[in-house]
Amino acid sequence: MAVPLPLSAAPTGAEYLRAILCSPVYDVAQVTPLQQMNKLSERLKNIVLVKREDRQPVHSFKLRGAYAMIAGLNEQQKAGGVIAASAGNHAQGVALSATGLGIRSLIVMPLTTPDIKVDAVRNFGGEVLLYGAGFDDAKAKAIELAEREGYTFIPPFDHPAVIAGQGTIGMELIQQDAHLDRIFVPVGGGGLAAGVAVLIKQLMPEIKVIGVEPEDSSCLAAALNAGQPVELERVGMFADGVAVKRIGDETFRLCKEYLDDIITVDSDAICAAVKDLFEDVRAIAEPSGALALAGLKKYVKQHNITGERLSCVLSGANLNFHGLRYVSERCELGEKREALFAVTIPEQKGSFLKFCQLLGGRSVTEFNYRYACDKDACIFVGVRLTGGQSEKEEIISELQNGGYQIVDLSDDEMAKLHVRYMVGGRPAKPLRERLYSFEFPESGGALLRFLQTLGTHWNISLFHYRSHGTDYGRVLAGFELDERSPEFEQHLKQLGYACHDETDNPAFRFFLAG
């Protein structure tokens, strides 16, 4: 077993370098691959390399810092056990590290922690105490128990030994590729960014190290602006692995001195990066794990970077599986490959068809509508983009020239989170209405064909369509019809799509029927 070097309260860069080079983390941690992302490299006109920390035994880099600190405890501290507060990756890193060293570990986790994370800590040999409504409550309890019961508290980022452990990633990066131009690292509490930056700047200062933060959790940016660590009033929880209100004191000192730059990204950009990682290297990253790649992509675009060797750290893959639904919904918006609009069209037969014809051959990704009055209809529509912002502006111009009122909702967070699912309601007057569900092979013009066959003969009173990127598209549509309409039945056969009468569906009757 390697023996960690002691560190002073505020170590110099040279002290950190020695501690990183002599780190004992490889007793439990793996040297993770640095993998090229071929598709993204071609798209960005740079060589993009991803450091696969999701390959660690705990699927996160946090193991490195936890082990480095625990291995450096004296015999009395080891005998007393260790304690930590965490709802995620740090908890698993502490549990596995302590178990490997034969030390008792207790992890205080909020009561709301998902079972999968609690079970993971127990599987790594840690004891779990569920306490409090959130991380702050759990941390306060852990510190109280440490003082009362004699445990040693293992902080998630703000400790020299933890920082040195995380810095081993920087050492591996330059061993794996000594020709890197820039390294992008995620920033939560700053332990990873500080460790990588201090190592790189001691050995290869020409390599730029850039920190990446979510826009709604940018505690390092706030601290740099204020000149000292400050507490954010609130943080966004989508990238919960980096949802930290206050940067650490020591991590701030190091980041301020050694980081070359920082950049912030929004949730949609993170979702796009999750998709990039899956499509390129088949990694399924948690949002905070894809943060650095999201920052890399934005930085390249902002600074017109080409022909460089760029690396980013995929910091973790402990993903709540159900979160993939949100990622899938938002990734196209993050890549500027989809636009969302609210469009007012005349409430008359053929309006849907004319609207789609104005869009030309563009793919409609979503179409929500519910009858409200006899004059105008307001529809919620998504359109796939191949030309980015310029194509979106072109669509807006074409629709306005066609006489439509249009509002761009692509950057409206409430519209993306809530309104798109709430479009509709009950009609303002009684309707003789039949409801049908349709399924058809996804192809260019499939939705247009649907409207050309049915949309000009009967008034459509309700319409919902959302492309999920699968082989089959699904439409829910309401029509103003008599109880029996042989002509309508004939057009259904002509359409040739699988369909089902949903008029008596209880959800329709309860929420949408007149």
Side-chain angles (χ1 to χ4, degrees), residues 15-23 163-165 167-168 171 195 198-199:
E15 286 180 294
Y16 268 115
L17 175 60
R18 287 195 297 272
I20 293 169
L21 294 177
C22 298
S23 177
I163 294 167
T168 56
M171 180 175 64
V198 72
L199 181 282

Side-chain angles (χ1 to χ4, degrees), residues 344-348 351 371-378:
T344 303
I345 67 175
E347 183 59 82
Q348 55 189 238
S351 291
Y371 172 87
C373 70
D374 289 335
K375 183 183 178 185
D376 292 315
C378 190

Side-chain angles (χ1 to χ4, degrees), residues 92-205:
Q92 296 175 55
V94 170
L96 179 59
S97 298
T99 299
L101 291 165
I103 299 170
R104 180 189 178 195
S105 65
L106 175 62
I107 315 298
V108 186
M109 309 182 82
L111 289 165
T112 55
T113 306
D115 289 343
I116 188 172
K117 294 184 178 180
V118 175
D119 293 341
V121 171
R122 289 175 174 152
N123 288 338
F124 287 127
E127 300 173 33
V128 175
L129 172 63
L130 295 175
Y131 182 89
F135 173 75
D136 290 337
D137 292 341
K139 181 181 178 182
K141 185 66 173 178
I143 292 173
E144 175 198 325
L145 289 171
E147 294 172 351
R148 192 176 75 207
E149 306 291 340
Y151 292 103
T152 297
F153 180 72
I154 308 298
F157 49 82
D158 199 23
H159 189 282
V162 174
I163 294 167
Q166 319 299 28
T168 56
I169 293 176
M171 180 175 64
E172 290 176 23
L173 279 168
I174 57 176
Q175 289 171 340
Q176 291 167 322
D177 191 332
H179 302 288
L180 292 173
D181 293 294
R182 301 173 202 267
I183 299 170
F184 292 81
V185 288
V187 178
L192 175 59
V196 170
V198 72
L199 181 282
I200 294 297
K201 294 304 173 182
Q202 302 307 304
L203 297 179
M204 300 186 73

